[in-house]
Amino acid sequence: MNLFGKKKKLSHHAYAVVTGAGSGIGRSFALQLAKRGGTVICADIDLNAANDTVQQIESLGATAYAYQCDVAQADQVQALADQAEQIMGHPVTLVINNAGVGLGGKFEEMRLEDWHWCLNINLWGVIHGCHAFVPQLKKNGFGGIINVGSAASYTAAPEMSVYNVSKAGVMALSETLAAELKKYQIQVNVLCPTLVPTNIIKNGRIPGRYSKLADHALMNYAFTTSDAVAKLTLDRLDKGELYTIPQMDAKLFWSMKRTSPTFYNKFLGFSYQFFK
Ligand SMILES: NC(=O)c1ccc[n+]([C@@H]2O[C@H](COP(=O)([O-])OP(=O)(O)OC[C@H]3O[C@@H](n4cnc5c(N)ncnc54)[C@H](O)[C@@H]3O)[C@@H](O)[C@H]2O)c1
């Protein structure tokens, strides 16, 4: 609370850790936080990419630090949490568990190795982030967590079984934590976008038969940008909202699934018959 009894905006002057900050939505979160007066640790498995984001932030006159971290590795995320306060010279006030990968294909095409790869990053990466940072946020009695889910958290689209499962878990965890941490003044938000133009298709494991089409759709028909999505999510966190469903199509599926789940699933099965 400030002198006037107003709640502090979590996205303003934050001391933030962003995973997957070397590209796409994570980079946009890091830049947007810097523009709001924040200091950011840009964590990524790709240190060069994290360094590029740091340079962009420094060119804005703000402070950021690059940190190499594979979110699938619990010990690396714990080390990041243990060092973050010392690196920034201030306790962490905001954690953004964003790092993730794309994976598509029919259920029977998915090897168990694919399940482990994707769940280890998309779901375990978020679990590791929450597990490592929640105790310090609770100790400080203030803070925010943004977990990057997807519209896949609730749409259950065909040929995305592994990705859907990973993102449904992110939403369930975020909803549970939101209720559990409210009394500790810790605000949680889960971001659930449809298409956002980033490198996710190029970096992911998408079957050759539709990888070009998927990348084309992502880059040309997304009707939003990673910057717009990051900005909206931070604004919604500041307002105390749990869900960020940024686009019209994401909102339409969200409403169909919740108001008529059986009809929604029949609609998916029907539409999929015509998918080659
Ligand atoms: N782009 C979309 O259409 C879209 C839609 C819904 C949700 N999302 C989610 O947004 C998040 C960000 O993805 P993006 O679209 O910006 O993709 P991106 O590929 O542009 O960026 C992902 C970043 O995460 C990093 N990363 C990958 N594996 C990592 C690991 N094990 N540890 C740490 N960093 C790792 C990559 O190096 C990269 O910098 C993901 O969780 C993704 O599932 C994206």
Side-chain angles (χ1 to χ4, degrees):
M1 294 277 185
N2 66 21
L3 278 177
F4 307 100
K6 281 190 179 163
K7 266 191 169 177
K8 273 193 231 165
K9 285 187 173 177
L10 280 162
S11 77
H12 289 239
H13 306 286
Y15 287 85
V17 174
V18 181
T19 68
S23 175
I25 298 172
R27 175 171 285 173
S28 291
F29 269 125
L31 283 161
Q32 191 52 228
L33 286 164
K35 286 177 187 163
R36 295 177 186 209
T39 301
V40 190
I41 296 182
C42 300
D44 204 289
I45 196 169
D46 179 344
L47 187 58
N48 289 331
N51 269 317
D52 286 347
T53 305
V54 167
Q55 275 181 13
Q56 290 187 28
I57 289 176
E58 286 174 347
S59 72
L60 298 172
T63 306
Y65 305 90
Y67 190 102
Q68 187 166 32
C69 175
D70 177 354
V71 296
Q73 307 298 325
D75 55 345
Q76 293 188 23
V77 181
Q78 190 59 56
L80 167 62
D82 292 344
Q83 292 163 31
E85 178 172 348
Q86 203 190 358
I87 292 171
M88 292 194 284
H90 190 284
V92 173
T93 63
L94 176 60
V95 181
I96 305 189
N97 293 304
N98 160 79
V101 288
L103 174 60
K106 291 188 175 67
F107 175 76
E108 65 274 20
E109 291 172 330
M110 294 295 107
R111 301 162 301 167
L112 287 179
E113 192 270 326
D114 295 318
W115 279 92
H116 287 296
W117 174 71
C118 184
L119 291 182
N120 281 342
I121 299 169
N122 288 10
L123 180 54
W124 276 105
V126 176
I127 296 169
H128 292 152
C130 293
H131 189 260
F133 282 99
V134 163
Q136 36 179 286
L137 294 178
K138 270 174 91 168
K139 197 173 116 216
N140 300 334
F142 168 77
I145 300 170
I146 293 173
N147 291 329
V148 178
S150 164
S153 298
Y154 56 88
T155 47
E159 299 209 20
M160 291 178 62
S161 55
V162 185
Y163 189 79
N164 291 340
V165 169
S166 74
K167 293 298 184 177
V170 170
M171 179 174 268
L173 175 61
S174 307
E175 290 170 332
T176 310
L177 285 178
E180 207 170 304
L181 298 177
K182 195 173 174 55
K183 66 177 173 183
Y184 301 100
Q185 319 306 323
I186 300 168
Q187 182 65 43
V188 180
N189 187 278
V190 57
L191 165 62
C192 301
T194 47
L195 300 181
V196 184
T198 68
N199 293 313
I200 193 164
I201 302 289
K202 293 183 197 86
N203 289 339
R205 295 184 184 176
I206 311 295
R209 64 181 180 277
Y210 57 74
S211 61
K212 271 195 184 148
L213 183 70
D215 195 45
H216 182 75
L218 194 81
M219 300 317 269
N220 297 288
Y221 299 104
F223 305 118
T224 191
T225 62
S226 56
D227 287 346
V229 164
K231 201 168 170 299
L232 176 70
T233 310
L234 293 172
D235 290 344
R236 288 187 64 78
L237 179 83
D238 287 342
K239 287 184 188 148
E241 300 287 349
L242 168 57
Y243 302 103
T244 302
I245 315 279
Q247 303 111 315
M248 281 311 293
D249 52 351
K251 287 187 171 77
L252 176 69
F253 292 132
W254 176 244
S255 137
M256 277 171 79
K257 176 79 184 283
R258 287 160 75 90
T259 53
S260 190
T262 306
F263 168 77
Y264 173 75
N265 195 265
K266 282 185 180 156
F267 159 78
L268 278 188
F270 179 77
S271 319
Y272 184 58
Q273 295 178 96
F274 305 103
F275 183 80
K276 294 277 177 239

